[in-house]
Amino acid sequence: MEHYNYLAFAMPAFFLFVFLEYKAAQHKKQPGLFKYESSISNISIGIAERLLNLFVSGTFYGWYYYVYDNYAIFYIPNHWLIWVALILATDFVWYWYHRLGHEVNLFWAAHIVHHQSEEFNFTAAARITTLQAVVRTAFWCLLPLFGFPPAMVISMLLIHGAYSFFTHTQLIGRVKWLEYVFITPSLHGVHHASDEKYLDKNYGDIFVFWDKMFGTFMKEEEQPKYGLTHPLNSYSFLWQHFHYYFEIIESFRRAKCFKLKLKAVFGSPAYMDQDIRPELEKFFLQDRSLQLKELRFKGYLAFQILLSVTMLTWFTFYFNLLHFEDKLFTTGFLLITLINCGALLEQRNWIYYLEYGRLLTISTYFLYVQGYSQYIFIPLIVFFIAEKIFSAGKRYNKYILQTR
């Protein structure tokens, strides 16, 4: 039983809360809080983060123990008062990790994905990347360095993450008396806003102390506009993850001197040349505008998300018991599916090649498991016949692609 990973049930729990929030929004006659395309994009990124973290989360925890065992400055005992100190210390470290994540280009590249959504609901809380988790772990190593036991740190991080999830909603209005101590959904909504007056505010995750101490506190006045100040023109799963790294590289390339090159990497995002992103989108994405009035393939898209969540839940639960080839197949299949979801929303003409990729992944895996790897040419022949004789690609695109 100790080999099972019970964090697998976090995924069904997440969707239960999203469903409850959606039904509450309907009941309050606020259906506009959810936008289908954006929610799918948010969930896709969350699935990828949970998937990839399976391979690295053990390393994260290992680092806490390594730092504690070899470099701890103090050895703090496990006492209830220490838990109070730990939650304050955890949120303090978070504040500075979070603030630097907005003020340093290299860190912003990992964190920007969390702010791309123009929705502010529970699905937006899923927009976390493994790259962001790596940066965050480096900061949280400060806790065992100062002597907090790693087991306590790991438990507190779970509590910390659970609290921050529930601050991503608009259904709870301002609770003014609570704002004297805690970050509320209203205060965190300010942090997610793209309005100039709200920029770079409310970095705390649980407590407001740090924002008030360091001059970054802001209460909600007008209804915020959520998302980036310069929104992405793409639902691409890959572009959302990596576009800012391309922007840093391009800014670095254009810099005329070493000082400006350093600024491109470690300077403030506020000074990034805003012409770079549209130019890169035009080059990589052909500057396509999305003009779909109504998606006719919602069921197909929802099925892929449901399939991905089901597979990820199973994969997470049995991860420690699976063989390498099982992990390789599941990871490859899920990543192709997530890229497929973004390509569906962007109506890419090459999308059916992803379907062939998924079918090839499945057939290769099952042939391998059954000991018939030498027959991999058979599905390739079947794909060739389906394309050349039955025009499978054209039929698929006729269903999927919609007139703009």
Side-chain angles (χ1 to χ4, degrees):
M1 293 292 288
E2 65 273 12
H3 295 296
Y4 298 132
N5 186 349
Y6 292 97
L7 287 177
F9 299 109
M11 287 297 294
F14 166 79
F15 278 95
L16 173 61
F17 285 116
V18 169
F19 174 76
L20 292 175
E21 184 187 29
Y22 177 71
K23 298 305 290 185
Q26 286 187 319
H27 178 72
K28 290 189 172 184
K29 302 188 186 318
Q30 295 178 288
L33 297 186
F34 285 82
K35 182 182 177 184
Y36 187 83
E37 297 92 328
S38 182
S39 294
I40 290 293
S41 179
N42 295 345
I43 292 168
S44 295
I45 289 173
I47 292 172
E49 187 264 346
R50 289 290 88 199
L51 171 66
L52 297 177
N53 272 11
L54 287 173
F55 295 92
V56 296
S57 59
T59 305
F60 295 163
Y61 300 153
W63 270 108
Y64 300 145
Y65 282 97
Y66 177 80
V67 170
Y68 181 78
D69 292 338
N70 294 279
Y71 300 104
I73 299 172
F74 308 102
Y75 289 96
I76 301 174
N78 188 336
H79 184 271
W80 72 268
L81 282 174
I82 301 304
W83 284 94
V84 176
L86 178 57
I87 193 170
L88 291 171
T90 302
D91 205 54
F92 181 74
V93 172
W94 169 276
Y95 173 88
W96 284 107
Y97 146 74
H98 199 182
R99 181 168 176 172
L100 291 173
H102 282 255
E103 295 180 350
V104 178
N105 275 326
L106 187 62
F107 295 153
W108 177 237
H111 186 58
I112 191 174
V113 179
H114 186 63
H115 285 269
Q116 290 164 350
S117 176
E118 295 179 9
E119 291 183 306
F120 185 66
N121 52 42
F122 286 156
T123 70
R127 296 189 71 94
I128 301 172
T129 69
T130 298
L131 291 169
Q132 181 179 343
V134 170
V135 176
R136 196 165 56 189
T137 297
F139 278 83
W140 272 329
C141 278
L142 291 171
L143 298 172
L145 177 65
F146 278 93
F148 288 105
M152 289 180 65
V153 172
I154 294 168
S155 299
M156 184 57 65
L157 294 181
L158 292 174
I159 296 170
H160 207 264
Y163 182 89
S164 65
F165 170 78
F166 290 104
T167 61
H168 291 80
T169 183
Q170 297 181 63
L171 293 181
I172 300 175
R174 288 195 64 193
V175 187
K176 295 181 181 180
W177 62 270
L178 202 59
E179 292 178 3
Y180 288 107
V181 179
F182 295 105
I183 292 291
T184 62
S186 172
L187 293 180
H188 196 61
V190 167
H191 176 72
H192 273 259
S194 60
D195 310 79
E196 186 174 353
K197 65 184 294 184
Y198 290 147
L199 294 180
D200 302 323
K201 302 297 182 183
N202 300 351
Y203 293 115
D205 210 34
I206 295 180
F207 301 110
V208 300
F209 309 142
W210 325 119
D211 287 293
K212 291 184 176 181
M213 287 173 61
F214 299 111
T216 54
F217 176 76
M218 180 76 182
K219 64 182 180 180
E220 181 181 341
E221 296 176 348
E222 295 85 25
Q223 172 68 29
K225 179 182 178 183
Y226 302 107
L228 302 177
T229 54
H230 296 82
L232 291 182
N233 185 32
S234 175
Y235 291 120
S236 167
F237 171 78
L238 293 175
W239 187 246
Q240 290 179 77
H241 272 77
F242 300 112
H243 73 92
Y244 204 77
Y245 291 101
F246 283 106
E247 292 178 44
I248 291 175
I249 292 170
E250 180 62 19
S251 180
F252 185 89
R253 188 187 66 82
R254 295 183 184 186
K256 303 296 184 182
C257 63
F258 182 71
K259 182 179 179 180
L260 290 177
K261 289 184 182 296
L262 280 179
K263 189 175 180 180
V265 180
F266 300 106
S268 170
Y271 299 109
M272 177 67 75
D273 184 348
Q274 299 303 324
D275 292 330
I276 290 178
R277 185 180 302 167
E279 292 175 13
L280 291 176
E281 287 183 338
K282 186 174 183 178
F283 178 79
F284 286 104
L285 306 175
Q286 293 79 54
D287 197 28
R288 300 183 65 171
S289 58
L290 308 176
Q291 301 294 332
L292 297 179
K293 293 182 178 179
E294 183 177 354
L295 298 176
R296 69 183 179 204
F297 47 79
K298 281 186 177 180
Y300 179 58
L301 196 55
F303 169 76
Q304 295 193 75
I305 293 296
L306 178 62
L307 175 65
S308 297
V309 171
T310 303
M311 287 185 67
L312 180 60
T313 302
W314 168 86
F315 190 50
T316 303
F317 190 70
Y318 291 105
F319 185 79
N320 296 323
L321 303 174
L322 297 175
H323 298 295
F324 173 77
E325 57 270 21
D326 302 318
K327 294 178 180 179
L328 183 64
F329 157 71
T330 307
T331 302
F333 182 86
L334 286 174
L335 289 177
I336 292 174
T337 299
L338 296 176
I339 294 171
N340 180 282
C341 290
L344 269 172
L345 291 172
E346 295 210 327
Q347 295 285 277
R348 297 295 178 180
N349 291 321
W350 43 261
I351 188 172
Y352 73 96
Y353 288 118
L354 289 176
E355 296 293 6
Y356 281 133
R358 286 200 292 188
L359 292 173
L360 183 61
T361 301
I362 294 171
S363 56
T364 300
Y365 172 72
F366 283 107
L367 286 171
Y368 175 83
V369 169
Q370 298 301 320
Y372 297 117
S373 300
Q374 66 271 27
Y375 296 114
I376 186 60
F377 66 89
I378 293 178
L380 292 174
I381 292 174
V382 172
F383 297 160
F384 180 80
I385 293 173
E387 183 62 27
K388 294 298 181 181
I389 297 180
F390 298 102
S391 300
K394 290 182 179 179
R395 293 175 184 272
Y396 177 84
N397 282 348
K398 184 178 180 181
Y399 169 69
I400 292 298
L401 300 182
Q402 297 176 218
T403 303
R404 288 170 170 71

